[in-house]
Amino acid sequence: MSKRRMVIAGNWKMNMTPSQAKNFASELYEAVKGKRGCDIVVCVPAIDIPAVVKVCAGTAIKVGAQNVHFKNSGAYTGEISPEMLIDAGVKYVVIGHSERRQYFGETDETVNLRTKAAVAAGLTAIVCVGETLTEREQGITAEVVAKQVKLALSGISADQMKKVIIAYEPVWAIGTGKTATAEQADEVCGLIRSVVASLYGKVVSRSTVIQYGGSMNAGNAAELLAMENIDGGLIGGASLKTDAFTAIVTAAQ
Ligand code: PGA
């Protein structure tokens, strides 16, 4: 097991109405009560934030958002600012998820702007990177991922890296039921750690939390989390079921 503290984060994506979220968060709280061996986060739809923050207040579960704008206010219809998230009790935010890159025009540049703004506001940014199936088949995974990491972190100081988590999510493994093998996932997480080392030095790279995401579930979590360079998970589908998410939290203890 690594010396870093594991972070298990659920990414609910566009699931759960506010009333469903409230009930589910209460169930989850009961299920993970007493499991103090890792950090537990739920990244919920923006509209669910107030309900989930209320239920999770004073518990070990921290609340995250799934996106954030890079300005604190202004004429950006439909957007939510870092300041708003902080005021609502949010501690984490997912940035640059492949679904946002794929469907909503997210680029390495906007990922970088959001990351800088999130961290400056005091949020912990969960920055997602990962190759597509074509890129893996072309043998350019390392190149693609290293570039995403470098661009995302441009302008982030070594000190601010305490507020950055990198989630390695191979696009081909997201929501497909196809998980990277523990070795494949660890190899790329190790590569990410070496990129962080080249930018900030060994001390920072050794303490940076690097998660794996992509069809992590109750059955494969223990093996993935046991790998040297994997410090947690960003979990989609399995985070919507109390049993599955709790099993992953347990695997991280
Ligand atoms: P999945 O999603 O666990 O459903 O594959 C992971 C993610 O998109 O963060």
Side-chain angles (χ1 to χ4, degrees), residues 41-54:
V41 184
V42 286
C43 300
V44 307
I47 198 160
D48 296 344
I49 288 169
V52 178
V53 165
K54 198 168 168 200

Side-chain angles (χ1 to χ4, degrees), residues 11 13 97 99 169 173-177 213-216 234-238:
N11 173 12
K13 308 195 179 184
H97 190 279
E99 285 149 20
E169 298 209 305
I174 296 176
T176 56
S215 302
M216 188 184 273
L234 183 58
I235 300 117

Side-chain angles (χ1 to χ4, degrees), residues 107-118:
T107 64
D108 287 325
E109 192 195 347
T110 55
V111 168
N112 175 244
L113 290 171
R114 293 185 210 283
T115 304
K116 285 191 288 197

Side-chain angles (χ1 to χ4, degrees), residues 240-253:
L240 298 170
K241 294 172 218 127
T242 317
D243 290 359
F245 191 69
T246 306
I248 298 171
V249 168
T250 305
Q253 298 301 295

Side-chain angles (χ1 to χ4, degrees), residues 153 156-164 166 196 200 204 208:
L153 299 179
I156 298 284
S157 70
D159 193 49
Q160 287 177 320
M161 282 302 288
K162 293 188 193 109
K163 288 291 203 177
V164 174
I166 299 173
V196 173
Y200 301 100
V204 171
T208 300

